[in-house]
Amino acid sequence: MSAIESVLVENRVFPPSEAIVKAARISGMPAYEALCKEAEQDFEGFWARLARENVVWNKPFTKTLDESKAPFYKWFEDGELNASANCLDKHIGTPTENKTAIVFESDDGTVTRISYKELLAKVSRFANALKAQGIKKGDRVLVYMPMGVEGVVAMQACARIGATHSVVFGGFSAKSVQERIIDAGAVAVITANFQMRGGKELGLKSIIDEALAMGGCDTLKSVLVYMRTATPCNMVAGRDKTFDEALAGQSDECKPEPVGAEHPLFILYTSGSTGKPKGVQHSTGGYLLWAKLTMDWTFDIRPEDLFWCTADIGWITGHTYVCYGPLAAGATQLIFEGIPTFPHAGRFWQMIEKHKVSIFYTAPTAIRSLIKAAETDEKVHPKNWDLSSLRILGTVGEPINPEAWMWYHRNVGGERCPIVDTFWQTETGGHVITPLPGATPTVPGSCTLPLPGIMAAIVDEAGKDIPNGSGGMLVIKRPWPSMIRTIWGDPERFKKSYFPEEMGGKLYLAGDGAVRNADNAYFRITGRIDDVLNVSGHRLGTMEIESALVSKTDLVAEAAVVGRPDDLTGEAVCAFVVLKRSRPTGEEAKQIANELRNWVAKEIGPIAKPKDIRFGDNLPKTRSGKIMRRLLRSIAKGEAITQDITTLENPAILEQLAEKL
Ligand code: PRX
């Protein structure tokens, strides 16, 4: 049975214990339902109340929601605030100021701690250094940093002076970095000489150098380099400065710059169905409200918690649940530099024991790979560590198969911790459909119910509601504060991608298929309905990979990329390639496939490398020349072809393409 099929027949229910319900902030389903009702009865009043209670405003807003230019919604527009002040300054003068904000464990296991007060000083000093570089409110700054305190400091410092950050995951290639610098018009890059992962020193600055050498980055003036390791890196005089050089003589006080609620806090690039990655633009006010609110709602965060979200700051999860949410909530969080399998695959469990983690938030892919490791080596099974400090578990990024959910529940959560399977996207800014730990009975593989005020529904292609029990497209019918505001520099694409005219232009189209349970209306996400793949929780566009392949013009004539289910990574990339020369076989085919994999890694990043490459003399096309992707999906899965192939121009090539290397 496939992961999706097993999710669809799942009916085990795990209600939270009475003790958990009693202690929770949103305590029991009636409390959840009361919030939903409040949002339904007075939508704007509901959000206004929460925005007043959860955000510190320099200037209060007078209008909650402006829908006059829908779908370009504006929230709290005339209000002013600063995101960094909401994460740091807010705690000064309270008992939180001397509390540990971040416990950092490096790749080699060294642990350092930084208090809220110290973090504020560090962020302020860095903010002054940015100003000294001439960086000002409204400028864009690209952040290409390893996991660690400095990455958070860089983001917070941008927010402090009103500069818009655009973080790029350290696994993306020079080409991807260059494209993002150009698209965002970034004036500066903040990076590190190296990053440490699994005991290895991996170059980051060298990738920035390569990106800048590709040309076209005309807006870029300076590069600030954190010396993570003692190994020197290339420095360009007049352009590059180490952190030490940039910070020398800077004061550790810096007044936060108030910005309008709609001011772009950040741009984060993500893959879509067509063309280049899109710069998802987020606001300051609505986004920050969401980061704070979902820490309270979904994680029921408490002062004594030790919160650990394992996501990298290069992804949206690392933005909302590393950089902003935990700090806005005044929590203590663990940040980990390394990888879950170094020096052994019990590292996560060991760290939970060592730091007494109480809330643990990770991706299904990580869970699946650690299950596999524990099954092959008893010594890295979670039972070898004391995980009794845990009280809530979370997952994010892709559907979790019920087997993995049950393993997580039993072996990590000790059958006592609620699992919050949080559905959301780069575009939603934070959780939108998720269980609440002290209220929602959970079902393995289901993200259960929308948060209060999130009007999620399932519709058909014309935007009409579909009854519970049948599958359709996931939409959100009303705007919410932390939603994407636009695609940076491309408002038309924003409208077309998320608010399609065919569905009336008013529904936010998530791009996922979903079905609601006929009995309890719980949502189950069945996966993307567009040409976006989810590999290990990382979003990849099939078109992006196709264009990377065909850009190898000396070799590739044509390419089509599809996803296929994979037990470990959720989905895997499968590429069908027609070469400019004759179709290779045997060893030669393997060698060319490797060459192409490395090419894709160079063009996009190693995460986009096709797992499967098949060569054909041609691709299956209709007589009108359209590639029949449905057929390719079946071939990739290894299924027998049952589709009608009478319109297929060249049926013989199906056999060729089914041949594995
Ligand atoms: O397909 C859904 C899947 O991840 C997509 C969003 O990817 P991204 O923007 O990179 O953000 C990931 C982190 C929030 C969604 O369209 N997805 C995310 N969470 C879940 C999920 N699928 C099923 N269940 C989830 N809990």
Side-chain angles (χ1 to χ4, degrees):
M1 201 167 12
S2 78
I4 295 290
E5 284 161 352
S6 65
V7 156
L8 293 175
V9 299
E10 179 60 54
N11 54 15
R12 285 169 284 194
V13 181
F14 297 85
S17 73
E18 244 173 70
I20 291 176
V21 173
K22 218 165 150 214
R25 192 179 267 109
I26 299 180
S27 172
M29 286 307 272
Y32 161 73
E33 280 150 13
L35 282 169
C36 293
K37 201 156 162 212
E38 185 189 342
E40 268 154 37
Q41 286 174 343
D42 178 11
F43 190 68
E44 289 193 32
F46 175 71
W47 292 122
R49 171 176 79 74
L50 291 166
R52 287 189 192 109
E53 287 171 7
N54 287 283
V55 176
V56 180
W57 298 92
N58 290 76
K59 182 173 160 245
F61 58 92
T62 59
K63 188 169 169 53
T64 304
L65 172 63
D66 177 0
E67 302 189 66
S68 61
K69 297 197 179 67
F72 299 94
Y73 297 100
K74 301 217 156 56
W75 286 90
F76 322 117
E77 194 186 2
D78 62 348
E80 284 182 7
L81 74 160
N82 179 281
S84 162
N86 266 276
C87 293
L88 300 169
D89 307 58
K90 172 175 100 177
H91 305 301
I92 302 306
T94 77
T96 310
E97 70 174 8
N98 292 315
K99 181 176 170 175
T100 300
I102 299 172
V103 180
F104 172 64
E105 179 161 326
S106 70
D107 189 58
D108 69 7
T110 314
V111 176
T112 46
R113 291 186 163 74
I114 182 165
S115 71
Y116 271 91
K117 214 174 181 176
E118 291 162 341
L119 187 61
L120 171 62
K122 218 168 150 97
V123 167
S124 299
R125 201 156 162 237
F126 201 81
N128 285 328
L130 292 179
K131 284 204 249 179
Q133 294 298 310
I135 301 166
K136 51 185 196 315
K137 180 172 168 178
D139 283 345
R140 272 84 55 210
V141 175
L142 189 123
V143 176
Y144 193 62
M145 286 287 276
M147 275 305 278
V149 175
E150 279 68 21
V152 173
V153 168
M155 293 163 79
Q156 285 280 343
C158 288
R160 196 160 186 88
I161 65 169
T164 299
H165 58 70
S166 180
V167 186
V168 177
F169 173 61
F172 277 114
S173 68
K175 180 89 185 300
S176 300
V177 170
Q178 179 228 19
E179 285 167 1
R180 285 155 173 76
I181 292 174
I182 295 173
D183 190 80
V187 299
V189 169
I190 305 173
T191 188
N193 61 340
F194 290 93
Q195 61 178 336
M196 292 301 303
R197 285 173 78 80
K200 290 198 202 92
E201 214 179 17
L202 306 173
L204 282 180
K205 174 61 164 54
S206 57
I207 293 175
I208 297 297
D209 287 341
E210 206 185 311
L212 296 178
M214 288 174 175
C217 303
D218 305 331
T219 48
L220 192 107
K221 296 194 191 73
S222 53
V223 179
L224 300 181
V225 186
Y226 166 52
M227 296 303 283
R228 169 62 188 88
T229 66
T231 316
C233 65
N234 174 47
M235 296 293 282
V236 176
R239 187 195 74 185
D240 305 350
K241 276 200 177 91
T242 64
F243 272 25
D244 282 351
E245 287 163 353
L247 289 165
Q250 295 300 340
S251 149
D252 56 14
E253 276 177 37
C254 171
K255 203 175 148 294
E257 177 80 33
V259 299
E262 284 295 322
H263 181 75
L265 178 60
F266 64 87
I267 303 164
L268 183 58
Y269 286 85
T270 191
S271 297
S273 9
T274 52
K276 294 253 169 260
K278 37 197 183 186
V280 172
Q281 180 182 321
H282 276 287
S283 71
T284 303
Y287 173 81
L288 200 88
L289 167 63
W290 211 258
K292 162 72 169 62
L293 198 59
T294 47
M295 287 299 296
D296 285 351
W297 281 358
T298 314
F299 296 122
D300 195 26
I301 192 88
R302 297 178 194 163
E304 63 278 15
D305 272 319
L306 199 288
F307 178 81
W308 185 16
C309 164
T310 65
D312 192 283
I313 52 166
W315 309 111
I316 189 70
T317 310
H319 280 59
T320 311
Y321 300 108
V322 176
C323 183
Y324 291 107
L327 298 177
T332 299
Q333 71 170 318
L334 177 61
I335 294 183
F336 175 44
E337 180 181 46
I339 56 172
T341 49
F342 176 81
H344 55 78
R347 180 84 184 255
F348 274 7
W349 323 129
Q350 187 180 32
M351 285 177 64
I352 291 171
E353 175 186 282
K354 175 164 154 193
H355 299 289
K356 300 203 166 30
V357 172
S358 56
I359 304 176
F360 180 61
Y361 189 39
T362 197
T365 288
I367 299 169
R368 284 193 297 265
S369 74
L370 298 178
I371 294 176
K372 201 171 159 198
E375 278 171 357
T376 39
D377 179 4
E378 280 259 303
K379 289 202 294 299
V380 298
H381 192 282
K383 69 182 176 200
N384 297 297
W385 287 276
D386 174 8
L387 306 182
S388 60
S389 57
L390 288 169
R391 72 179 186 91
I392 295 172
L393 300 177
T395 69
V396 56
E398 43 178 335
I400 181 163
N401 45 312
E403 301 73 49
W405 194 102
M406 286 306 301
W407 186 92
Y408 197 35
H409 169 70
R410 285 196 187 114
N411 297 293
V412 183
E415 298 187 8
R416 75 180 183 279
C417 303
I419 298 180
V420 289
D421 174 352
T422 61
F423 169 83
W424 59 296
Q425 311 173 295
T426 305
E427 292 87 343
T428 67
H431 310 147
V432 285
I433 308 182
T434 175
L436 300 177
T440 324
T442 53
V443 172
S446 168
C447 53
T448 73
L449 297 167
L451 285 176
I454 295 291
M455 309 305 181
I458 296 179
V459 300
D460 65 14
E461 284 179 1
K464 259 188 51 212
D465 282 314
I466 283 183
N468 291 352
S470 310
M473 299 195 260
L474 177 65
V475 296
I476 303 178
K477 292 186 162 179
R478 296 281 286 132
W480 66 101
S482 68
M483 66 193 295
I484 174 178
R485 292 308 195 261
T486 187
I487 292 174
W488 178 259
D490 201 347
E492 270 314 302
R493 190 172 171 199
F494 165 76
K495 273 212 294 210
K496 265 208 210 122
S497 313
Y498 302 110
F499 296 90
E501 279 305 323
E502 308 84 89
M503 295 171 66
K506 284 245 158 74
L507 304 177
Y508 169 80
L509 179 67
D512 280 291
V515 54
R516 295 189 82 160
N517 184 286
D519 303 326
N520 57 12
Y522 275 17
F523 283 81
R524 295 169 192 279
I525 307 296
T526 51
R528 300 287 309 194
I529 47 170
D530 51 11
D531 292 315
V532 170
L533 306 183
N534 194 325
V535 180
S536 299
H538 299 149
R539 234 168 109 165
L540 297 166
T542 53
M543 300 291 201
E544 260 174 83
I545 306 174
E546 283 170 17
S547 41
L549 284 167
V550 296
S551 73
K552 184 143 185 56
T553 48
D554 57 330
L555 194 61
V556 178
E558 222 180 345
V561 168
V562 299
R564 67 156 167 75
D566 183 280
D567 282 348
L568 209 58
T569 57
E571 272 189 299
V573 178
C574 188
F576 296 89
V577 178
V578 181
L579 296 181
K580 284 189 170 163
R581 37 149 289 176
S582 62
R583 176 174 178 263
T585 52
E587 274 312 305
E588 195 192 13
K590 280 191 191 151
Q591 186 212 320
I592 296 177
N594 265 340
E595 193 182 332
L596 292 179
R597 278 192 196 101
N598 293 336
W599 175 264
V600 172
K602 218 170 142 39
E603 286 290 292
I604 304 175
I607 52 172
K609 275 187 182 183
K611 185 160 184 179
D612 251 14
I613 296 187
R614 316 274 178 95
F615 296 104
D617 290 324
N618 210 329
L619 295 174
K621 289 184 188 153
T622 60
R623 296 216 165 90
S624 59
K626 247 185 95 185
I627 296 175
M628 298 178 80
R629 284 169 194 280
R630 268 184 314 123
L631 275 184
L632 292 178
R633 279 187 210 112
S634 299
I635 297 173
K637 273 195 214 166
E639 284 175 356
I641 305 291
T642 52
Q643 290 108 327
D644 177 13
I645 53 167
T646 45
T647 57
L648 185 62
E649 173 78 17
N650 42 2
I653 82 129
L654 295 184
E655 223 166 279
Q656 276 187 355
L657 294 173
E659 213 173 282
K660 281 194 186 157
L661 295 190

Coordinates of all heavy atoms in Angstrom, one line a residue, residues 6 13 47 128 135 177 186 208 217 246 291 340 359 365 368 384 389 425 428 469 488 508 575 592 596 604 661:
S6 N -2.4 4.4 2.6 CA -2.5 4.0 4.0 C -3.0 5.1 4.9 O -3.7 4.9 5.8 CB -1.1 3.4 4.5 OG -0.2 4.4 4.5
V13 N -7.5 6.9 16.7 CA -7.6 8.2 17.2 C -6.9 8.3 18.5 O -7.0 7.4 19.4 CB -9.1 8.6 17.4 CG1 -9.3 10.0 18.0 CG2 -9.9 8.4 16.1
W47 N -9.1 39.2 14.8 CA -7.7 39.4 14.5 C -7.2 40.6 15.2 O -6.0 40.7 15.6 CB -7.5 39.4 13.0 CG -7.7 38.1 12.3 CD1 -8.6 37.8 11.3 CD2 -7.0 36.9 12.6 NE1 -8.5 36.5 11.0 CE2 -7.6 35.9 11.8 CE3 -6.1 36.5 13.5 CZ2 -7.1 34.5 11.8 CZ3 -5.6 35.2 13.6 CH2 -6.2 34.2 12.7
N128 N 24.2 47.9 13.8 CA 25.0 49.1 13.6 C 26.0 48.9 12.5 O 26.3 49.8 11.7 CB 25.7 49.5 14.9 CG 24.7 50.2 15.9 OD1 23.8 50.9 15.4 ND2 24.9 50.0 17.2
I135 N 23.8 50.2 4.6 CA 22.5 49.4 4.4 C 21.4 50.1 5.2 O 21.6 50.5 6.3 CB 22.7 48.0 4.8 CG1 23.8 47.3 4.0 CG2 21.4 47.2 4.7 CD1 24.3 46.0 4.5
V177 N 22.2 31.2 -6.1 CA 22.5 32.4 -5.3 C 22.5 33.6 -6.2 O 21.9 34.7 -5.9 CB 23.9 32.3 -4.6 CG1 24.3 33.6 -3.9 CG2 23.8 31.2 -3.5
A186 N 19.7 42.6 -4.2 CA 20.4 42.7 -2.9 C 21.6 43.6 -2.9 O 22.3 43.6 -3.9 CB 20.8 41.3 -2.5
I208 N 29.7 32.1 -2.8 CA 29.3 33.5 -3.0 C 30.2 34.1 -4.1 O 29.8 34.8 -5.0 CB 29.4 34.3 -1.7 CG1 28.3 33.8 -0.7 CG2 29.2 35.8 -2.0 CD1 26.9 33.9 -1.1
C217 N 25.3 40.9 -10.8 CA 24.8 41.3 -9.5 C 25.2 42.8 -9.2 O 26.0 43.1 -8.3 CB 25.5 40.4 -8.4 SG 25.1 38.7 -8.7
A246 N 33.9 44.3 10.5 CA 32.6 45.1 10.3 C 32.1 45.6 11.7 O 31.5 46.6 11.8 CB 31.6 44.3 9.6
A291 N 3.8 34.2 14.0 CA 4.9 33.5 14.6 C 4.7 33.4 16.1 O 4.8 32.3 16.7 CB 6.2 34.2 14.3
P340 N 21.6 15.0 11.5 CA 21.1 14.0 12.5 C 21.9 12.7 12.6 O 21.7 11.9 13.5 CB 19.7 13.7 12.0 CG 19.6 14.3 10.7 CD 20.7 15.3 10.5
I359 N 9.9 20.3 23.6 CA 9.1 20.3 22.4 C 10.0 20.1 21.3 O 11.0 20.8 21.1 CB 8.4 21.7 22.2 CG1 7.5 22.0 23.4 CG2 7.5 21.7 20.9 CD1 6.9 23.4 23.4
T365 N 10.8 13.1 6.9 CA 12.0 12.5 6.3 C 13.0 12.1 7.3 O 13.6 11.0 7.3 CB 12.6 13.4 5.2 OG1 11.7 13.5 4.1 CG2 13.9 13.0 4.8
R368 N 11.8 9.1 9.3 CA 11.9 7.9 8.5 C 13.4 7.4 8.4 O 13.7 6.2 8.5 CB 11.4 8.1 7.1 CG 9.8 8.1 7.1 CD 9.3 7.9 5.7 NE 9.7 9.1 4.8 CZ 8.9 10.1 4.6 NH1 7.7 10.2 5.2 NH2 9.3 11.1 3.9
N384 N 17.6 4.0 23.9 CA 18.9 4.1 24.6 C 19.1 5.4 25.3 O 20.1 5.7 26.0 CB 20.1 3.9 23.6 CG 20.1 2.6 23.0 OD1 20.2 1.6 23.7 ND2 19.9 2.5 21.7
S389 N 11.8 14.1 29.1 CA 11.6 15.6 29.1 C 10.6 16.0 28.1 O 10.0 17.1 28.2 CB 12.9 16.3 28.9 OG 13.5 15.9 27.7
Q425 N 2.9 26.2 4.5 CA 3.7 26.4 3.3 C 4.5 27.7 3.5 O 4.2 28.5 4.3 CB 2.8 26.6 2.1 CG 1.8 25.6 1.9 CD 0.8 25.9 0.8 OE1 0.1 26.9 0.8 NE2 0.9 25.1 -0.3
T428 N 2.2 30.5 3.5 CA 1.2 30.7 4.6 C 1.9 31.4 5.8 O 1.2 31.8 6.7 CB 0.5 29.5 5.1 OG1 1.4 28.6 5.7 CG2 -0.2 28.7 3.9
G469 N -15.3 13.6 2.5 CA -15.2 12.2 2.0 C -14.7 12.1 0.6 O -14.2 11.1 0.2
W488 N 7.8 38.8 -5.1 CA 8.7 39.9 -5.3 C 8.8 40.3 -6.8 O 9.3 39.4 -7.5 CB 10.0 39.6 -4.6 CG 11.0 40.7 -4.8 CD1 12.0 40.8 -5.7 CD2 11.1 41.9 -4.0 NE1 12.7 42.0 -5.5 CE2 12.1 42.7 -4.5 CE3 10.3 42.4 -2.9 CZ2 12.5 43.9 -3.9 CZ3 10.6 43.7 -2.4 CH2 11.7 44.4 -2.9
Y508 N -7.6 31.4 -2.0 CA -6.2 31.1 -2.0 C -6.0 29.6 -2.3 O -6.5 28.7 -1.6 CB -5.6 31.4 -0.6 CG -4.1 30.9 -0.5 CD1 -3.1 31.6 -1.1 CD2 -3.9 29.6 0.1 CE1 -1.8 31.0 -1.1 CE2 -2.6 29.1 0.1 CZ -1.5 29.8 -0.4 OH -0.3 29.3 -0.4
A575 N 14.1 11.6 -13.9 CA 14.3 12.4 -15.2 C 14.4 11.5 -16.4 O 15.1 10.5 -16.4 CB 15.6 13.3 -15.0
I592 N 27.0 8.9 -17.9 CA 26.4 10.1 -18.4 C 25.3 10.6 -17.4 O 25.2 11.7 -17.1 CB 25.8 9.9 -19.8 CG1 26.9 9.7 -20.8 CG2 25.0 11.2 -20.2 CD1 26.4 9.4 -22.2
L596 N 25.1 14.1 -15.5 CA 23.9 15.0 -15.5 C 23.5 15.3 -14.0 O 23.1 16.4 -13.8 CB 22.7 14.3 -16.2 CG 22.9 14.2 -17.7 CD1 21.7 13.4 -18.4 CD2 23.1 15.5 -18.4
I604 N 21.4 23.9 -9.6 CA 20.4 24.2 -8.5 C 20.9 24.0 -7.1 O 20.9 24.8 -6.3 CB 19.1 23.4 -8.8 CG1 18.5 23.6 -10.2 CG2 18.0 23.8 -7.7 CD1 17.3 22.8 -10.5
L661 N 18.8 2.0 -15.2 CA 20.2 2.0 -15.5 C 20.9 0.9 -14.6 O 20.5 0.7 -13.5 CB 20.9 3.4 -15.2 CG 20.4 4.5 -16.0 CD1 21.3 5.7 -15.8 CD2 20.5 4.1 -17.5

